[in-house]
Amino acid sequence: MMKLYSNSTDPFSHRCRIVLFEKGMDFEVINVDSNNKPEDLSILSPYSDSPVLEERDLVLTDPNIINEYIDERFPHPQLMPPDPVMRARARLFLKDMENELFIHMKNIESKESKVQENARKVVINHLIQLSPILEKQEFLLHDEYSMLDVAMAPLLWRLDHYEIKLGNQCKALLKYADKIFSRQLFEEAMSPAEKAMRPSI
């Protein structure tokens, strides 16, 4: 059985939990306190924060690698496109989101107010640019829920928690967020601490 070592408030762990629940397979989620990592996790991955996936002799530590492995190992429902060209485009889009958007998530949680504020501004600007893409399509890859939507969901869920307010120019993005949040498996994949970030679900 797969084991996912997961921090209950970490958005990257949240991504991996979403994928596991989407696949409807047997797995175990082990909640990790980043300040007091269990001994077996320290042995498996001494230099890594969560998430960490263990299956037999395999140990994976990057959330994108973890999610693509799960998607290939359990191909239904498929979250990466079957077409190689579309799959490459999805990976490129995800890499761009990592470099331009998700990289700022840790700074939003910084204890320094200036670092927090600068990160918020960058994230808001990128979300404003993303919103028009969603005006003519259901999800980030048109009509199918995909790995890109999985990646975006934890960030969008945390907007209130991060004190990020989006205006009228982001109506399409907010509608898209509500669609993702309405998925039953999205709710099931959340920890109690994550549910408390936005108690309206």
Side-chain angles (χ1 to χ4, degrees):
M1 181 186 294
M2 285 186 175
K3 293 181 182 178
L4 179 72
Y5 293 85
S6 164
N7 183 301
S8 62
T9 59
D10 169 45
F12 299 98
S13 295
H14 191 178
R15 277 192 206 178
C16 296
R17 280 184 267 116
I18 291 170
V19 171
L20 286 169
F21 275 89
E22 284 288 332
K23 296 295 181 175
M25 41 172 279
D26 288 334
F27 59 89
E28 179 183 3
V29 174
I30 300 167
N31 290 318
V32 174
D33 178 352
S34 55
N35 297 318
N36 186 24
K37 289 202 290 189
E39 186 178 338
D40 53 346
L41 177 59
S42 298
I43 293 167
L44 285 172
S45 180
Y47 306 111
S48 177
D49 294 329
S50 10
V52 174
L53 183 80
E54 178 189 16
E55 186 183 32
R56 299 188 185 95
D57 296 330
L58 178 68
V59 177
L60 300 174
T61 59
D62 178 276
N64 292 330
I65 294 172
I66 289 170
N67 282 347
E68 284 208 40
Y69 170 74
I70 295 168
D71 195 45
E72 291 172 1
R73 178 101 162 69
F74 301 93
H76 302 289
Q78 194 166 27
L79 295 172
M80 286 294 281
D83 175 67
V85 172
M86 288 300 294
R87 193 160 59 243
R89 286 178 179 159
R91 287 181 177 134
L92 185 59
F93 197 156
L94 187 55
K95 183 180 178 183
D96 288 343
M97 288 196 298
E98 294 282 358
N99 293 337
E100 297 174 8
L101 190 59
F102 302 134
I103 196 171
H104 301 286
M105 292 175 79
K106 286 187 179 178
N107 285 343
I108 289 175
E109 296 177 348
S110 169
K111 293 179 180 177
E112 296 181 32
S113 58
K114 283 186 178 180
V115 173
Q116 273 186 9
E117 189 56 35
N118 288 337
R120 278 194 201 98
K121 286 178 182 176
V122 172
V123 168
I124 288 169
N125 287 336
H126 282 296
L127 291 176
I128 288 170
Q129 292 172 29
L130 186 61
S131 192
I133 295 172
L134 293 160
E135 287 179 1
K136 297 180 181 179
Q137 56 195 54
E138 292 286 308
F139 296 107
L140 283 173
L141 281 180
H142 305 293
D143 296 331
E144 298 295 327
Y145 184 76
S146 74
M147 200 67 79
L148 298 180
D149 305 299
V150 168
M152 281 298 298
L155 169 59
L156 295 175
W157 182 257
R158 287 161 171 76
L159 291 182
D160 289 344
H161 178 71
Y162 290 156
E163 298 179 11
I164 292 175
K165 306 298 179 191
L166 299 178
N168 287 333
Q169 69 260 45
C170 289
K171 282 183 179 177
L173 182 68
L174 295 172
K175 184 179 177 183
Y176 159 75
D178 287 341
K179 188 181 302 175
I180 289 176
F181 302 158
S182 69
R183 295 174 69 86
Q184 181 180 347
L185 294 173
F186 177 79
E187 181 177 359
E188 291 177 13
M190 279 194 291
S191 69
E194 285 163 342
K195 289 180 182 180
M197 291 176 181
R198 183 178 172 141
S200 59
I201 193 165

